[in-house]
Amino acid sequence: MRACITYHEKFQQYDLGVNHPFRGDRFVKAKAFFDQKGLSRSRDVLFVEPKPAGREDLLEVHTERYINHIYELAEKGGYYDVDTPVSKRILEGALYIIGGVIDAGRRVIHGEAEKAVALGGGFHHAGVGYGGGFCLFNDIAILVNRLRRLRLVKRVLILDYDVHFGNGTSDIFYSDGDVLFISLHQDPRTIYPGRGFLHEVGSGAGEGLNVNVPLPMRTGEKAYMYALNEVFPPLAREFRPDMIIANGGSDAHFADHLGSLGLTARGFFEISRVINSVSEDVCGGRAILLIGSGYNIEVLPYCWYALALGLIKPDSPPEEIEDFFKPLPDPWRNIERVKRIVDGLKDIMSKYWSCF
Ligand SMILES: [Zn+2]
């Protein structure tokens, strides 16, 4: 099987409220768009309904104390922080999404699918003992630790292309010598969570394995792709991971309501196409894409579809992918600043990597 996509109707229970940017209908609308485009009928793609994750899965990363806190909060209903409400329904939705991420990883590692897309995944703001920023549990890290504990992988590369910095994932693996974390995100001085600077390089065994690429607001698509191509493929080739896990969604789109980068739907196709080709080069094609973010519901289904397609069918760029919002931003916007940032990063990282 070329690819599997995990989806369950319970995902929509991860709905953070009427006035919240993270609504449950985004999953339903994305899946409906995938159906409309024929992805569900494709012989190359298997849609999988995951089982929910359980406490033992959460314990791969999180402390018992933190897990209990979230379960208690869910029982009575409340807020973890001002942006992150918790209820029984929301918790159940989260567990189904995490179950999908684990299932996607398992299928790829056992060769049941060459590629996998886990819809809804990528809760990168959750750390070992904390949540926040719409996230309760870090599904990316849960998958990495599960596969490592079962000795199915040793080294993992995580590429985080979400517009926000993945502080939770970064913290979890900051001193881990077997996980390379690369994050492209909007300049932390201009967006939540206010971290993800060049000098945050990792520590101990993980020194040099935390690679941040902070990009100026409104960076255009070509400038973004320049940064991605200068950093991700050479590091992946040198690191030689057993698997690549990428997480993000559509919040780096230029019309997103929370982010301020300048990608179009086609840019997301290009990102996952690069992920696909690098995975073919370095780890036998083992790549998993977690797609969860995006806060403009009008562009979200297009962008999520473009992301999935770039991984599953990288040779067939979607003609029908369009952006409603015209005019499109200048694709080379900020290229000179981006070049300086990439040069600065290479300068810092040359201590740890021969490719730089
Ligand atoms: Zn985000």
Side-chain angles (χ1 to χ4, degrees):
M1 178 59 64
R2 171 66 184 165
C4 73
I5 299 178
T6 57
Y7 175 79
H8 197 292
E9 61 178 22
K10 294 255 187 190
F11 287 5
Q12 64 183 300
Q13 289 183 200
Y14 206 84
D15 184 332
L16 303 189
V18 181
N19 295 315
H20 197 287
F22 201 119
R23 302 301 314 273
D25 63 339
R26 43 218 294 294
F27 307 111
V28 182
K29 287 187 172 151
K31 172 63 164 56
F33 192 70
F34 284 23
D35 290 346
Q36 189 191 321
K37 293 293 170 196
L39 217 48
S40 328
R41 297 186 301 279
S42 166
R43 271 178 297 165
D44 298 329
V45 180
L46 179 70
F47 274 82
V48 177
E49 276 198 352
K51 293 193 183 71
R55 275 175 184 262
E56 69 285 1
D57 299 308
L58 307 178
L59 282 165
E60 298 281 5
V61 169
H62 301 283
T63 58
E64 189 131 36
R65 181 192 164 100
Y66 174 68
I67 297 168
N68 288 341
H69 174 58
I70 296 298
Y71 273 71
E72 282 160 23
L73 211 50
E75 203 55 45
K76 52 182 193 259
Y79 282 79
Y80 177 79
D81 68 14
V82 67
D83 292 325
T84 318
V86 189
S87 68
K88 277 205 252 188
R89 253 180 92 74
I90 290 170
L91 175 60
E92 192 185 29
L95 294 175
Y96 270 90
I97 292 170
I98 298 165
V101 171
I102 295 171
D103 196 336
R106 190 186 60 74
R107 282 173 194 267
V108 167
I109 219 69
H110 289 304
E112 291 170 31
E114 288 174 43
K115 312 284 171 202
V117 173
L119 287 183
F123 295 109
H124 62 166
H125 298 306
V128 170
Y130 65 86
F134 317 165
C135 304
L136 299 177
F137 303 111
N138 193 310
D139 48 348
I140 310 148
I142 289 170
L143 175 60
V144 170
N145 283 357
R146 164 62 53 87
L147 296 178
R148 292 201 298 182
R149 193 171 52 73
L150 298 177
R151 298 185 190 283
L152 295 167
V153 297
K154 185 169 188 297
R155 290 153 77 81
V156 178
L157 189 160
I158 300 169
L159 176 69
D160 188 329
Y161 61 90
D162 192 279
V163 79
H164 304 95
F165 174 60
N167 56 314
T169 314
S170 174
D171 284 352
I172 292 166
F173 298 118
Y174 206 67
S175 55
D176 193 315
D178 288 317
V179 177
L180 170 58
F181 178 65
I182 303 174
S183 178
L184 281 84
H185 47 264
Q186 187 180 319
D187 185 337
R189 290 168 300 186
T190 64
I191 195 168
Y192 180 89
R195 281 184 41 203
F197 295 96
L198 289 180
H199 65 264
E200 299 172 42
V201 298
S203 65
E207 196 177 331
L209 297 182
N210 193 94
V211 180
N212 293 332
V213 190
L215 299 166
M217 287 172 83
R218 291 182 286 281
T219 288
E221 189 154 287
K222 300 270 189 203
Y224 183 102
M225 291 310 295
Y226 169 84
L228 180 73
N229 284 317
E230 283 292 305
V231 175
F232 165 56
L235 285 177
R237 285 190 196 106
E238 190 167 335
F239 185 66
R240 309 285 319 171
D242 300 311
M243 167 184 257
I244 295 174
I245 302 175
N247 73 276
S250 61
D251 61 5
H253 189 278
F254 75 92
D256 193 77
H257 298 318
L258 298 187
S260 302
L261 285 181
L263 296 188
T264 68
R266 186 160 290 264
F268 291 104
F269 178 80
E270 293 300 330
I271 290 173
S272 53
R273 196 156 73 148
V274 170
I275 293 166
N276 176 66
S277 83
V278 170
S279 76
E280 298 293 342
D281 266 9
V282 305
C283 54
R286 285 189 289 276
I288 301 175
L289 204 53
L290 279 49
I291 306 178
S293 73
Y295 308 99
N296 181 330
I297 191 66
E298 287 181 76
V299 297
L300 180 147
Y302 286 82
C303 297
W304 286 21
Y305 175 65
L307 280 165
L309 212 62
L311 190 73
I312 299 168
K313 297 180 180 178
D315 299 325
S316 47
E319 294 303 324
E320 65 276 24
I321 292 288
E322 284 179 11
D323 281 285
F324 307 110
F325 297 87
K326 301 277 168 63
L328 298 178
D330 170 12
W332 289 105
R333 186 164 183 157
N334 289 336
I335 183 63
E336 292 309 322
R337 288 172 68 190
V338 170
K339 279 184 175 167
R340 282 198 296 278
I341 290 160
V342 169
D343 286 349
L345 174 70
K346 286 181 179 178
D347 201 35
I348 292 169
M349 285 290 164
S350 61
K351 204 171 139 191
Y352 313 104
W353 299 93
S354 56
C355 61
F356 293 152

